[in-house]
Amino acid sequence: ISTPFHIFPAITETATRMEAKITVKSDFHSKMFGNDVTVIVPTPKNTAVCKVHVTFGKARYEPAQNAIVWK
């Protein structure tokens, strides 16, 4: 199976905090792009505060889903 995207996570944890850097790369030709792509990043159930920074698209923490939703 050939997937159109590859995801490269880098997770750093301390006693009270977790930092995740997630890179998504596509296998599309450089002149093509994906539409309506959503990446859902699960978070621990005890997440109280979540700061989200993205280079492309929009992302936000969805407490009801216990996840960061990046579109």
Side-chain angles (χ1 to χ4, degrees):
I1 296 174
S2 178
T3 59
F5 297 99
H6 294 282
I7 299 175
F8 302 95
I11 310 291
T12 306
E13 288 185 71
T14 63
T16 60
R17 161 179 193 167
M18 180 186 88
E19 183 175 323
K21 179 181 178 184
I22 300 169
T23 304
V24 178
K25 293 190 177 188
S26 73
D27 282 338
F28 296 132
H29 188 272
S30 62
K31 294 184 180 181
M32 296 179 70
F33 58 93
N35 286 329
D36 299 322
V37 176
T38 302
V39 177
I40 298 175
V41 181
T43 58
K45 291 189 185 289
N46 63 348
T47 301
V49 177
C50 189
K51 296 179 184 177
V52 181
H53 304 280
V54 295
T55 306
F56 297 103
K58 293 182 180 181
R60 67 181 186 174
Y61 174 61
E62 296 286 344
Q65 294 183 31
N66 287 325
I68 298 168
V69 179
W70 179 15
K71 296 182 177 186

